[in-house]
Amino acid sequence: MKFLIAPDSFKRCATAKQASDAIEIGLKRVFPQAQYTKVPMADGGEGTVQSLTDALNGNFRYIRVFDPLGKKITARYGLIKNKHTAIIEMSAASGMQFVTKETQNPMITSTFGTGQLLKDALHQKNIENIIIGIGGSATIDGGVGMAEALGVKFLDKNNQPIRYGGGGLRNLNHIDVSNLDPLVKQKNIYIASDVDNPLFGENGAAFTFGAQKGANQKMMRSLDNNLRHLHHILKRDLNLDLADKPGSGAAGGLGLGLIAFTNATMEKGINITTSLTELGNKAKDADFVFTGEGRIDEQTLHGKTPIGVSEIAKEYNPNTKVIALVGSMCYNIKPLYEKGIDAIFSISPGRESRAMAIKNIRRNLIRTAENIGHIINN
């Protein structure tokens, strides 16, 4: 019997590696002699660096950067040297965890720290590929802060740098790329994101994501106008017309900044992960594939880990059975079965507070995997 275990993290409860280990323990209670392959997964969101670094036996690099409000912090990213790849999460430097309800303000928050992570990765020896997950941002600055860290100058009419944050974009008069780090055009940069919003407008960065980053309606209108202005200057100075490019509005416009100032391409995070980990080859001879995440619902259909794992597994091995373990699930799970998942099990033993569910995550995963093992064995 061969098992492939490839879950995502259970957000704020267990990393993908911890979830993988727990599922293996449960199955081994029934199949102690079986073959097990564990591949911690991620879809580009929170936990991507941890999951891929664990899955590919990489190392973490820690550096000092600025958070969204300009405070010095220590952030990390992953280095997978045998694959010549660095893995970055923009949230490690520019995420919502660095602001509070009182301090969140996309008019002043910046992606400069994300640019510092990217610049450091660019200069690592033998690194040719950089993956950057852009979920969880506290910013709507069009990626300007990130680009500044790479050497781009955003100047006002007095030839002075504009201030940080989405609010400063209104004063932008000229973009100078003469000092842009040349390595950004020499490396392969992949943006891991499932967001396809344009830069501005009703479905743009400000109006779609502004409220969750602390913007009121008046602020969202100002930010939207400022992003329009940024687009105008990019088009005039650099002949770049990217406003309608799908994903340009991701992470408060960081998608735009990465596409405009590097050679970055945007792909679904789960596709990047399954490719990098060679998941398909590992699924070829698996009798059962176990995957999972904290909650499975309608959003899972749009590129989340369980669907990505099931699609790859079935492509390489149509006869394998894909089983998803989840903390909770929505009512209508039929569409998930139609996408290749064969069975979905909630690991919850019953009514449980959030605090207890977090505390018992390992025990619940082990017990559920063991119970499923007994079903398989009968």
Side-chain angles (χ1 to χ4, degrees):
M1 187 77 71
K2 295 182 179 180
F3 293 97
L4 173 62
I5 303 173
D8 203 334
S9 63
F10 284 62
K11 190 173 292 186
R12 297 182 179 86
C13 298
T15 67
K17 182 180 185 301
Q18 289 169 337
S20 299
D21 291 343
I23 293 170
E24 180 187 32
I25 290 170
L27 289 171
K28 275 188 172 180
R29 291 178 176 177
V30 184
F31 300 103
Q33 304 303 317
Q35 295 182 34
Y36 295 90
T37 301
K38 294 181 292 182
V39 187
M41 297 298 292
D43 56 21
E46 181 182 339
T48 296
V49 167
Q50 181 76 56
S51 295
L52 287 179
T53 305
D54 286 340
L56 299 168
N57 298 312
N59 299 302
F60 295 109
R61 177 167 170 80
Y62 295 81
I63 66 169
R64 296 288 284 173
V65 300
F66 289 109
D67 77 1
L69 295 170
K71 297 178 181 178
K72 274 279 191 177
I73 59 165
T74 298
R76 72 175 186 177
Y77 65 93
L79 289 173
I80 317 298
K81 293 187 177 180
N82 64 337
K83 290 185 176 289
H84 310 291
T85 298
I87 305 163
I88 296 170
E89 284 179 26
M90 72 88 63
S91 61
S94 312
M96 286 294 291
Q97 71 270 27
F98 296 111
V99 297
T100 65
K101 187 175 181 179
E102 291 71 34
T103 62
Q104 60 183 3
N105 182 353
M107 297 293 281
I108 63 173
T109 49
S110 169
T111 53
F112 190 88
T114 296
Q116 291 176 297
L117 288 174
L118 179 54
K119 186 174 181 67
D120 191 81
L122 287 169
H123 288 267
Q124 291 301 302
K125 186 177 180 180
N126 296 325
I127 294 299
E128 300 297 331
N129 310 298
I130 298 174
I131 298 166
I132 177 166
I134 60 174
S137 81
T139 57
I140 307 180
D141 73 347
V144 164
M146 175 277 304
E148 286 180 309
L150 297 177
V152 181
K153 295 179 181 179
F154 297 86
L155 306 170
D156 63 18
K157 63 181 181 180
N158 297 316
N159 219 34
Q160 297 298 309
I162 62 173
R163 63 185 174 87
Y164 288 140
L169 299 178
R170 63 177 299 195
N171 297 318
L172 179 62
N173 187 64
H174 176 60
I175 300 174
D176 178 359
V177 296
S178 60
N179 291 317
L180 175 63
D181 191 324
L183 288 179
V184 298
K185 301 296 185 180
Q186 300 172 24
K187 308 290 185 176
N188 303 310
I189 300 174
Y190 303 97
I191 306 167
S193 175
D194 298 329
V195 174
D196 59 5
N197 298 73
L199 181 63
F200 53 75
E202 183 180 356
N203 298 313
F207 286 116
T208 303
F209 307 111
Q212 69 191 46
K213 301 174 196 288
N216 55 32
Q217 282 296 319
K218 180 179 179 181
M219 196 182 295
M220 282 188 267
R221 286 193 294 271
S222 294
L223 288 164
D224 189 69
N225 288 333
N226 292 354
L227 291 172
R228 290 174 186 270
H229 180 63
L230 170 62
H231 168 253
H232 169 72
I233 301 299
L234 278 170
K235 189 174 181 180
R236 186 198 68 191
D237 289 5
L238 304 179
N239 196 31
L240 293 172
D241 189 358
L242 301 170
D244 294 326
K245 188 173 183 64
S248 61
L254 179 61
L256 170 86
L258 287 166
I259 295 168
F261 298 106
T262 77
N263 66 348
T265 57
M266 189 166 290
E267 298 185 24
K268 284 189 174 182
I270 187 61
N271 293 347
I272 293 175
T273 301
T274 54
S275 174
L276 192 61
T277 58
E278 301 178 3
L279 188 73
N281 288 330
K282 294 169 182 175
K284 279 182 178 179
D285 58 354
D287 297 294
F288 292 89
V289 176
F290 278 71
T291 186
E293 63 180 350
R295 176 170 172 79
I296 206 165
D297 54 27
E298 292 84 354
Q299 290 301 312
T300 304
L301 292 168
H302 302 289
K304 296 297 185 181
T305 291
I307 289 297
V309 169
S310 67
E311 288 180 340
I312 289 292
K314 295 290 186 176
E315 177 184 345
Y316 281 77
N317 183 356
N319 295 319
T320 194
K321 298 299 182 183
V322 180
I323 299 171
L325 275 59
V326 300
S328 63
M329 69 182 81
C330 65
Y331 178 76
N332 181 22
I333 57 175
K334 183 178 179 181
L336 300 171
Y337 292 134
E338 294 170 352
K339 285 289 187 177
I341 296 178
D342 294 289
I344 302 171
F345 293 87
S346 171
I347 65 171
S348 175
R351 295 188 64 180
E352 208 173 28
S353 69
R354 178 175 175 79
M356 289 302 295
I358 292 172
K359 179 181 179 181
N360 296 330
I361 182 72
R362 182 175 181 274
R363 184 182 70 184
N364 290 343
L365 278 167
I366 292 171
R367 185 197 65 251
T368 306
E370 180 182 1
N371 287 340
I372 294 171
H374 285 296
I375 295 173
I376 293 171
N377 201 33
N378 288 329

